[in-house]
Amino acid sequence: MPPEKPRPADRLDDDDYPAFTVGRAADMLGTTPAFLRALGENRLITPLRSAGGHRRYSRYQLRIAARARELVDNGTPIEAACRIIILEDQLEDALRINEQQRQQHNSAG
């Protein structure tokens, strides 16, 4: 029996599913499509493209964009806000890896 094909409704809980158009995403964040494009130009988020070539954003990307908006609203230039978020993400990854290695070391000893 072939595997079941996922239904669109099954993807509603998927943080990475590109469900939102640029207009809808901008409305949800209380910003403009130009702001979202600027985040892409600064390589903070890269929207997926629909079959028709339109930008689509995931919930995960919208959370990142909301963090950028918060920084920009507090006076941080957009380029710096993007860099801050990238560095925060790298730090989080490094801390997670460090903790995993610490746990492996403790269980081996």
Side-chain angles (χ1 to χ4, degrees):
M1 195 163 147
E4 264 188 57
K5 184 177 177 183
R7 298 179 322 223
D10 294 337
R11 295 184 173 148
L12 293 177
D13 290 332
D14 183 352
D15 261 3
D16 296 318
Y17 181 69
F20 305 100
T21 64
V22 68
R24 179 71 179 124
D27 286 345
M28 291 170 69
L29 295 170
T31 189
T32 63
F35 178 79
L36 291 171
R37 285 191 296 274
L39 297 181
E41 290 165 8
N42 283 282
R43 298 183 182 185
L44 181 62
I45 56 176
T46 303
L48 293 175
R49 297 285 182 156
S50 69
H54 301 281
R55 291 177 177 85
R56 300 284 179 172
Y57 295 88
S58 68
R59 286 189 303 176
Y60 174 73
Q61 289 173 320
L62 294 186
R63 283 195 300 275
I64 293 170
R67 173 73 175 122
R69 166 116 198 261
E70 176 185 327
L71 290 169
V72 170
D73 285 351
N74 287 321
T76 305
I78 194 164
E79 297 83 4
C82 292
R83 187 69 183 135
I84 288 167
I85 295 166
I86 290 167
L87 290 170
E88 287 174 343
D89 190 51
Q90 289 172 346
L91 175 60
E92 187 178 312
D93 285 346
L95 292 172
R96 182 183 42 76
I97 291 167
N98 194 17
E99 181 59 28
Q100 288 173 344
Q101 290 178 343
R102 182 178 298 115
Q103 288 176 1
Q104 288 174 352
H105 177 73
N106 288 341
S107 66

